[in-house]
Amino acid sequence: MSDIVEKTLTALPGLFLQNQSASGPAAAKASFSSRLGGLVRGITALTSKHEEEKLIQQELSNLKATVSAPTTTLKMMKECMVRLIYCEMLGYDASFGYIHAIKLAQQGNLLEKRVGYLAVSLFLHESHELLLLLVNTVVKDLQSTNLVEVCMALTIVSQIFPREMIPAVLPLIEDKLQHSKEIIRRKAVLALYKFYLIAPNQVQHIHIKFRKALCDRDVGVMAASLHIYLRMIKENSSAYKDLTGSFVTILKQVVGGKLPVDFNYHSVPAPWLQIQLLRILGLLGKDDQRTSELMYDVLDESLRRAELNHNVTYAILFECVHTVYSIYPKSELLEKAAKCIGKFVLSPKINLKYLGLKALTYVIQQDPTLALQHQMTIIECLDHPDPIIKREVLGEYSYLLDKETPEEVITKLYKLLRSDSISSETKAWIIAAVTKLTPQAHSSNIVERLIQEFTTSLDTCLRQHAFELKHLHENVKFMKGLLPVDKSCEDMVVDASLSFLDGFVAEELSQGAAPYKPHHQRQEEKLSQEKVLSFEPYGLSFSSSGFSGRQSPAGISLGSDISGNSTETGLKETNSLKLEGIKKLWGKEGYLPKKESKTGDETEALPVPQENIIMENVDQIITKNDQSQALTQSKEEKEKQLLASSLFVGLGSESTINLLGKADTLSHKFRRKSKVKETKNGQTTTAQNMTCSSFSSSSNVAYEEDYYLDHLQDRGDKEVKKFSLNSELLDSESLTELPLVEKISNCRLSTPSLFADNNMEVFHPPQSTAASVANEVSLAVSLLEETTEHMHSDLIEVCNNETISVSSYKIWKDECLLMVWSVFNKSASELKSANLEIAPAENFKITEQPGCCLPVIEAESTKNFQYSVQMEKPFTEGNLSGFINYQVMDTHSVQLEFSVNLSLLDFIRPLKISTEDFGKLWLSFANDVKQNVKMSESQAALPSTLKALQQELRLHVVDIIGNEGLLACQLLPSIPCLLHFRVHGDMLALWFRSSCSTLPDYLLYQCQKVRAWIDPQVPVPIPCFHPGLTRAFKAECFVSVFLSSRCKKHGKSGGDLVSKDSESPGHLCIVYPKTQS
Amino acid sequence: MIKAILIFNNHGKPQLSKVYQPYSEDTQQQIIRETFHLVFKRDENVCNFLEGGLLIGGSDNKLIYRHYATLYFVFCVDSSESELGILDLIQVFVETLDKCFENVCELDLIFHVDKVHNILAEMVMGGMVLETNMNEIVTQIDAQNKLEKSEAGLAGAPARAVSAVKNMNLPEIPRNINIGDISIKVPNLPSFK
């Protein structure tokens, strides 16, 4: 019996499925529903973007097959759409499904139709051609008797609808304004509003209907119509003054609690409606005493009624205050509003504080005393962790000026600067503020003191600002012209898009320059094609021989960054100005028209006066100061020149002499900083190197930008800094001023990796001029220079053939191991598409260094490929293998393979700590290894042993106290290991401690190895292992220690390695010729 | 006007994105990325407003966000919206989701992405706030579901039977399948014995 039951039960679902549709196998459908789940689970389990892409592409091809199959039912289609929506949301192209989405909206039942409409609204945009296919469906659904269908049609219309098809549905939607259901009326109103937005002239005739909607018996419909009125009143308030009374009445009713209870939100009557109405009133009452008088009562009521018990009442209150201050003032109301602002500013809730400060900025214009009341709070806010708050606060200071002399304000700011509790970021803003106040101050003692103090600041940003101030301060007259005393309190308008550069960029592009790619795009490309360098510009620049119209792509990317990425830059800029807005130059109205005329005619030289200065970029002003003709030149011209000069440096052969001069001055400073030694090379090489170095400094700009973008992302003042940095670097080409150059090198020093990269770059053999300079020289130079900077290994040839020879060497940089492969083209012809790839290795993280992708290797020249290697997990011996391929004469490609050995030692770096720190660290480490070794007389002296260790293993000798020596080192990235040596008679006690369990063991062997190497009397060490080690690790250690030490010592092959399985399997024993252990 | 509504999780994976302006696919992805970038690194103790989404249309715009457990809800709006008002609107949205899904969690949003969009469509229409009353929204959603069901009627019955089966774990084959008007009673096991 139970068998039958079981069978019946198992058959049931299948029966249902067959019922549902005759077509398509049931099994396929059953699995269908879980597909989205599977997809989502699959995606969440993945770790890399690459895997995700693979999965989604596979999913998409499945979907593509399914949606186009004739057997696919609408129900299945619906499931497909949901999955497509998901894929699209993740950013993958699902355009093959668009047409099916429209079909689904046309043909499906309600549920399917809804998904179809949803997919359409998410996939398509307003001007998509497929949208026309939807019009008929929409018309049909608008006429449907089914409310849900009508709603769906109205929703899609308000989301996306082709402008030219509006007439087809307009009458239908107008009809819906009389629909019996309020939800339909409401949606119809919003749909009409959408039409008003995209095609205002098509809905002109229905303004009267909007009025009707405003008077609708349903509150929801009325609320919907307020969207329209807010917009229309914003555009032209005078046409709607007659409605003021209605709005006031509505607000009165709302505030008075006349609405049904279900409009309450947290017992506040229809808060969003109130906000909307208050905004409208604010617009209507602006500069209009008569209209304003109508609303005084209700505003008073609103202020009074808003009991502060919930977030949303603050929202109303904030709007109220805003309205009170926008309309024709009434002192009684202003007073109340001011009190409210106090509540905001003093609130512990950060959101309210922010809004309070925001309110203060516009309130102070009318009532500076209020700011004085809240001065303490404002100053406290300066220290707030939220940068957005700080930004608002600094704006307040400009208004304090009305009551206090600039000197007083500067003194206050100076006091703030001195206090340690403020972050350097804030300090930089404060200096910017001081800069703007300085021209108005009569005595400048404090400013001078400030300059003195902060030009030596360790913080680059701070120092930069201080220098700006210094230079401006030196030329007071100019400064006053630039930052006029006129106190218009509006935000300065900036040509955010830098449109004046558009022409320039277009020109560059037309000459074959690479288009600018925004930062994230570059990063993504880098990720997606891990092997191939994404910083193509660099490759290009090095390969372009001569001056064939190709400009430095790095420079281009700088240029087009400014204009090509205009929205982004523009935004930041405006922000930054808002926050810095201590002294504002011109109002919106005054400036904008000029901007337009400028964009149209960018080459025209305009007279310089204030209105022409687009950016408040003090650095540029410095440049101007220094160049006498600058004052008669337009800002745009100036910038173009700077850009152009930076672009052609290092490439233009005509300007070599000129370049040499500039570069030399620059290099001079560089030499001072980085202790570069230029000894061996002839004058030409030096000059060329310098050309390169100056070039790389301009290419560095791109890096700096990215760097700053990354690090200052939500700092409002970023743009200002970015710009000043850029221009500084650019200026450095033409300016020989010490401070500027110092700053540059400082910037570099502050970003060590960048510095190092560029350092390498500097010594690339120059392209543009005489490429015939001996390559060996340049290679030797690069080696030599690295030596002064970092330790490096010998140059070892790893592979060669008749055309090329590949050598490699290791540079033990502070933060990683830099592997350099030097490819020398021995042949007389150039090699194309040269590409060096390193296979991913298990234990390492290998990153290609930017700027070393060199598609072309010229005849008899050397190219360097650099990879920084980081260790991911400890190992003793590792192998990096890779290959190089290239093309000869565009015909056949050749591939050469090579490999390089790496050992853990390559990742050991000295740890420079003091004796006290050593003591502290010593106590904190748990892993401990001790060994006593017998010393021969020859090495009894501790210092010499330590010195050998220091040299061989790159340990840091912390201290030598009597017969004890302290050494410290670290395994990259940051695993410290401490060593204690003690000589006791003829015994040497070695004692290691580290936070890592394997490190002490390893180092012990390395130390013994070194000893064995320096003294043949010392037997090759037999490792005694930490119990926690794996057998494989021990074996590796053993072999490496033994073989390497003996080979090195005797210059012949080591002993035989025998595995003795007597006691413990895998135990190793060495049998070697002479000495025994 | 609301320009865009984004929901993403703590790892920056978008769970819902709805834009009310014609942006290209690429721009949308960029907006999602940059918004996440901006919002993610903000501490819990800073304010919920950010000025200017980078791409989303200039300085006029602001980002208003809330962070719930694993999800960020971000509204990008222009200056005509009130910050605090939107902040509460997000709260209403989340509470509504919670009501509709009964203890909403991240997975609900992914698996029922269409439902979430429908709920959102009842709150915000074409970038304008349509309804802020939670009960009203839930009522609308319920009413629509009901209508869909009744419209589906007999023709839709098998489909819903399938979905009813699907919603249960297959090993415990249903005892009582309620398919709207026709309800098939599966006899209880004991009565068969």
Side-chain angles (χ1 to χ4, degrees), chain A residues 735-805:
Chain A
L735 286 181
T736 52
E737 256 176 312
L738 179 71
L740 278 173
V741 181
E742 262 182 355
K743 263 187 273 178
I744 294 168
S745 40
N746 232 298
C747 290
R748 289 162 154 243
L749 285 171
S750 67
T751 57
S753 64
L754 288 181
F755 180 52
D757 296 341
N758 281 292
N759 209 21
M760 288 303 293
E761 215 84 79
V762 169
F763 302 104
H764 267 298
Q767 309 300 310
S768 53
T769 46
S772 56
V773 179
N775 306 290
E776 271 74 16
V777 174
S778 75
L779 192 63
V781 169
S782 84
L783 272 173
L784 191 76
E785 298 310 333
E786 279 305 325
T787 330
T788 61
E789 198 71 36
H790 305 283
M791 302 258 280
H792 72 93
S793 71
D794 298 330
L795 194 67
I796 301 161
E797 182 164 273
V798 289
C799 67
N800 63 8
N801 64 4
E802 63 285 355
T803 13
I804 60 164
S805 148

Side-chain angles (χ1 to χ4, degrees), chain A residues 918-1022:
Chain A
F918 186 96
K920 276 179 216 154
L921 275 176
W922 184 264
L923 294 174
S924 67
F925 290 152
N927 299 293
D928 187 329
V929 170
K930 271 190 209 174
Q931 183 147 7
N932 288 323
V933 290
K934 203 166 172 342
M935 292 218 297
S936 61
E937 288 76 8
S938 63
Q939 56 178 155
L942 185 65
S944 65
T945 314
L946 296 187
K947 200 169 172 219
L949 287 172
Q950 186 181 8
Q951 278 169 1
E952 281 304 306
L953 304 181
R954 291 185 289 282
L955 308 176
H956 172 64
V957 180
V958 179
D959 208 351
I960 300 176
I961 311 161
N963 58 353
E964 289 179 65
L966 309 176
L967 291 94
C969 68
Q970 59 176 333
L971 177 64
L972 291 177
S974 60
I975 306 169
C977 185
L978 305 179
L979 295 80
H980 179 264
F981 284 61
R982 187 197 176 105
V983 184
H984 186 70
D986 60 350
M987 293 296 284
L988 175 66
L990 302 169
W991 193 355
F992 297 77
R993 272 194 178 185
S994 169
S995 56
C996 164
S997 60
T998 50
L999 203 52
D1001 282 306
Y1002 181 79
L1003 281 171
L1004 175 61
Y1005 309 135
Q1006 291 296 339
C1007 287
Q1008 297 193 12
K1009 199 178 95 181
V1010 171
R1011 287 184 55 246
W1013 178 62
I1014 50 178
D1015 184 3
Q1017 295 297 305
V1018 175
V1020 169
I1022 284 290

Side-chain angles (χ1 to χ4, degrees), chain A residues 5 37 52 89 111 114 159 186-187 193 227 262 265 272 279 311 351 354 358 386 520 524 571 713, chain B residues 13 19 30 33 41 47-48 51 58-59 79-80 83 85 88 111 122 129 131 133 144 148 189:
Chain A
V5 177
E52 179 193 293
M89 185 179 64
L111 213 62
R114 182 135 83 165
Q159 174 71 27
R186 208 195 297 183
K187 290 189 174 180
Y193 173 52
H227 287 290
D262 48 312
Y265 175 78
W272 288 278
R279 292 212 156 200
N311 179 32
N351 285 337
Y354 167 76
K358 214 174 150 183
D386 190 344
H520 64 86
E524 234 165 57
L571 193 79
Q713 194 77 10
Chain B
K13 192 153 288 280
V19 294
Q30 210 170 333
R33 256 194 319 265
K41 58 181 177 192
C47 67
N48 298 55
E51 263 168 55
S59 59
S79 62
S80 67
E83 283 99 340
D88 271 281
F111 287 124
E122 290 304 316
V129 179
E131 179 61 72
N133 185 344
Q144 285 177 23
E148 272 163 7
L189 282 177

Side-chain angles (χ1 to χ4, degrees), chain A residues 141-142 144-155 172-192 216 218 221 224, chain B residues 122 125 130 136 140 144 147:
Chain A
D141 285 338
L142 279 175
S144 163
T145 51
N146 188 325
L147 287 184
V148 180
E149 279 182 354
V150 179
C151 277
M152 285 192 286
L154 286 171
T155 307
L172 287 170
I173 294 179
E174 282 179 51
D175 282 350
K176 294 287 175 276
L177 289 175
Q178 272 93 48
H179 201 277
S180 59
K181 284 277 179 194
E182 60 98 358
I183 183 76
I184 303 281
R185 292 205 299 274
R186 208 195 297 183
K187 290 189 174 180
V189 167
L190 286 184
L192 286 177
D216 197 283
D218 184 86
V221 182
Chain B
E122 290 304 316
M125 186 174 160
L130 176 71
E136 186 66 27
Q140 283 299 333
Q144 285 177 23
L147 266 173

